Amino acid sequence: MSTPSNLDRLQAVIESRKPKHGGDPEKSYVARLLHKGPDAILKKIGEEATEVVIAAKDLAVEKNEANTQALIGEMADLWFHSMVALAHFDLSTEQVLAELARREGLSGLEEKALRKALSREQEQTMGPKT
């Protein structure tokens, strides 16, 4: 049996904070965010993504330890809130990692073209997304 990764442990904590598992919105930030629902979670992801962009721009202008740590911190916040979103939708980091593994070895351009082709095929059989 392998040792759980940091992501596995964090995912377990997030899962334990779900209201259905007794997470208390008065005592837990994650429980509060999950209780508020997808709009609040997705808004937070948007805020964190913007902060990642700003931190990356700062690092591009001046590469120093403070800017490096700022980008790492903001990226950690983005990953964390993305994991909260996954938990809300009953998805896991393992599913995301499996998708990344599936894409390994594919050219980014080839992978994007494949997704577009599959999307067109789906639209032809099921109709366009609404």
Side-chain angles (χ1 to χ4, degrees), residues 14-83:
I14 292 169
E15 193 67 29
S16 75
R17 300 298 196 266
K18 285 182 169 183
K20 69 182 179 183
H21 295 137
D24 184 350
E26 297 298 318
K27 296 180 181 175
S28 165
Y29 171 74
V30 172
R32 184 177 311 137
L33 203 51
L34 289 166
H35 178 74
K36 288 181 179 179
D39 286 347
I41 297 166
L42 298 175
K43 180 180 177 188
K44 194 64 182 166
I45 289 172
E47 291 170 9
E48 297 302 341
T50 299
E51 291 171 7
V52 164
V53 170
I54 292 167
K57 293 284 226 170
D58 290 346
L59 185 58
V61 170
E62 185 176 355
K63 189 164 178 118
N64 60 43
E65 186 60 24
N67 287 346
T68 298
Q69 290 305 311
L71 178 56
I72 291 168
E74 295 302 343
M75 193 66 72
D77 291 345
L78 178 58
W79 286 17
F80 171 79
H81 288 90
S82 296
M83 290 177 69

Side-chain angles (χ1 to χ4, degrees), residues 3 11 14 17 19 39 44 59-60 62-63 67 71-72 83-85 88-89 91 105 107 109 112 115 119-120 129-130:
T3 305
Q11 182 176 326
I14 292 169
R17 300 298 196 266
D39 286 347
K44 194 64 182 166
L59 185 58
E62 185 176 355
K63 189 164 178 118
N67 287 346
L71 178 56
I72 291 168
M83 290 177 69
V84 172
H88 172 78
F89 292 107
L91 300 170
S107 150
L109 296 174
K112 186 174 180 180
R115 277 190 285 140
S119 179
R120 280 193 301 271
K129 295 179 193 174
T130 55

